């Protein structure tokens, strides 16, 4: 039994290390890019809905209320859809991970003919003041409510992807109801 537990632990640590290495290689590749290799026009709404479907099991298990608000505006941009999908996946995953059981996550899209904005807000513990300047740096990670820490590459990757799309990602002030992290992604339409 001890050997089985040891082998199981070794296997899970090997998987974790392998994923971290893959993430690091992916980030290094993006950092070296000057232009997007693949460009097409796509809908944020579809990407957000696709992400929410993939997170459905954990959303259900944690009894999280997810609210997506877009009104009549349907934002679209031209860029690398897979990269933006991965960025949204990272931000939505963090919002769900840091949200308390029966918490709420709000995803909102806004825009006009000049810009597109996406907000992802949660009711988690928020980002402490000492971490706000560090949050987008490689290898910087805060402990999740379950005690785990991530590789610290996800938000660094997200920032590089948004910059590659001539956009901006920032941490905005929280509100009383949505007291956790509040990320804003914005793109200027060309």
């Amino acid at each position: 039994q001890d050997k089985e537990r040891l082998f199981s632990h070794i296997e899970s640590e090997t998987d974790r290390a392998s994923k971290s290495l893959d993430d690091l290689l992916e980030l290094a590749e993006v950092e070296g890019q000057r232009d997007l290799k693949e460009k097409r026009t796509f809908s944020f709404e579809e990407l957000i809905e696709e992400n929410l479907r993939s997170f459905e099991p954990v959303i259900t298990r944690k009894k999280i209320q997810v609210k997506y608000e877009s009104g009549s505006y349907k934002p679209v941009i031209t860029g690398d859809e897979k990269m933006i999908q991965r960025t949204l996946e990272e931000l939505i995953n963090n919002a769900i991970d840091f949200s308390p059981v029966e918490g709420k996550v709000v995803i909102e899209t806004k825009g006009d003919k000049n810009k597109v904005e996406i907000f992802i807000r949660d009711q988690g513990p928020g980002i402490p003041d000492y971490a706000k300047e560090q949050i987008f740096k490689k290898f910087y990670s805060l402990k999740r409510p379950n005690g785990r820490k991530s590789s610290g590459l996800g938000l660094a990757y997200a920032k590089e992807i948004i910059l590659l799309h001539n956009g901006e990602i920032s941490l905005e002030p929280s509100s009383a109801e949505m007291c956790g992290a509040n990320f804003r992604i914005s793109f200027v339409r060309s």
Side-chain angles (χ1 to χ4, degrees):
Q1 284 182 341
D2 288 342
K3 284 181 183 177
E4 279 183 35
R5 276 198 301 271
L6 178 62
F7 285 131
S8 175
H9 179 70
I10 289 170
E11 185 177 42
S12 68
E13 286 300 308
T14 302
D15 288 346
R16 188 181 66 74
S18 177
K19 183 184 179 335
S20 292
L21 182 58
D22 290 345
D23 289 348
L24 187 56
L25 291 171
E26 190 175 7
L27 177 58
E29 182 181 340
V30 169
E31 286 176 328
Q33 272 186 256
R34 297 272 181 242
D35 289 315
L36 294 170
K37 294 175 185 172
E38 297 192 26
K39 279 186 178 181
R40 71 181 211 85
T41 301
F42 59 89
S43 162
F44 270 106
E45 186 171 39
E46 290 172 14
L47 292 183
I48 290 167
E49 289 172 356
E50 195 176 309
N51 264 302
L52 292 177
R53 280 192 299 276
S54 72
F55 288 118
E56 190 62 39
V58 70
I59 290 170
T60 302
R61 187 178 72 246
K62 287 183 76 174
K63 300 176 185 170
I64 293 174
Q65 177 191 355
V66 178
K67 187 175 180 184
Y68 173 54
E69 301 172 349
S70 69
S72 60
Y73 179 72
K74 305 297 182 212
V76 295
I77 70 158
T78 300
D80 187 314
E81 185 175 7
K82 287 179 184 173
M83 287 180 165
I84 296 295
Q85 171 76 342
R86 171 87 160 71
T87 299
L88 291 174
E89 179 182 306
E90 181 65 35
L91 293 170
I92 293 170
N93 182 49
N94 282 350
I96 291 167
D97 267 3
F98 282 97
S99 288
V101 172
E102 297 183 0
K104 184 176 178 182
V105 171
V106 175
I107 302 166
E108 180 182 12
T109 54
K110 293 180 177 183
D112 56 33
K113 64 181 180 178
N114 299 317
K115 69 178 177 191
V116 175
E117 292 183 309
I118 298 99
F119 294 88
I120 300 175
R121 303 175 177 104
D122 65 63
Q123 291 181 321
I127 297 172
D129 288 338
Y130 67 84
K132 289 180 179 173
E133 295 295 319
Q134 309 295 320
I135 203 73
F136 292 108
K137 291 185 178 175
K138 279 189 270 191
F139 307 114
Y140 190 83
S141 177
L142 294 170
K143 266 190 188 172
R144 283 161 162 62
N146 64 8
R148 284 186 345 217
K149 281 185 95 174
S150 71
S151 66
L153 296 172
L155 289 177
Y157 178 84
K159 183 170 184 164
E160 288 298 323
I161 293 302
I162 300 305
L163 289 174
L164 194 56
H165 283 79
N166 298 315
E168 180 183 290
I169 183 169
S170 59
L171 186 61
E172 301 290 303
S174 301
S175 67
E177 181 189 5
M178 302 308 291
C179 53
N182 177 10
F183 287 96
R184 178 181 66 90
I185 302 171
S186 63
F187 300 98
V188 175
R189 290 188 193 247
S190 48

